Amino acid sequence: MMIWFIAFFIVSQIMIEKNWLPKKVLKLRLLPLCAGSIGMILLAVIIGIISGFPIFVVGTVTILCGSLISWRYRTFGAGLLEKK
């Protein structure tokens, strides 16, 4: 399972950097992105419990959401530095 998480993390970083995600997701501001991530993780907990694979489902969704949030913080911080 650890190999899956590492591979999925690399794939999610590639998806984000190559802008393969929908434009609607890429244009979200930080607060709605964090709120949506919390909602997705809570939904993943429910789906994981129902499916019987909670660690796999929740871990995968958390990696994707964490990658999106870190990317948004990185671009948000770069925008602040450029304004000075």
Side-chain angles (χ1 to χ4, degrees):
M1 187 175 320
M2 188 64 101
I3 294 172
W4 164 254
F5 288 149
I6 292 169
F8 187 75
F9 174 73
I10 292 169
V11 169
S12 67
Q13 290 296 318
I14 291 170
M15 285 185 341
I16 292 168
E17 295 298 327
K18 298 281 185 179
N19 293 330
W20 289 348
L21 294 173
K23 298 293 181 194
K24 191 173 188 178
V25 173
L26 295 176
K27 291 188 181 213
L28 280 176
R29 295 180 55 95
L30 190 57
L31 185 61
L33 184 64
C34 289
S37 295
I38 291 169
M40 285 178 57
I41 293 170
L42 290 175
L43 184 65
V45 168
I46 294 168
I47 292 172
I49 291 172
I50 291 170
S51 69
F53 300 106
I55 295 173
F56 180 75
V57 174
V58 175
T60 302
V61 171
T62 303
I63 288 171
L64 180 61
C65 293
S67 296
L68 279 170
I69 292 171
S70 68
W71 170 77
R72 179 52 65 193
Y73 269 120
R74 189 171 63 236
T75 57
F76 179 75
L80 288 178
L81 291 175
E82 290 173 1
K83 290 181 181 178
K84 287 185 176 182

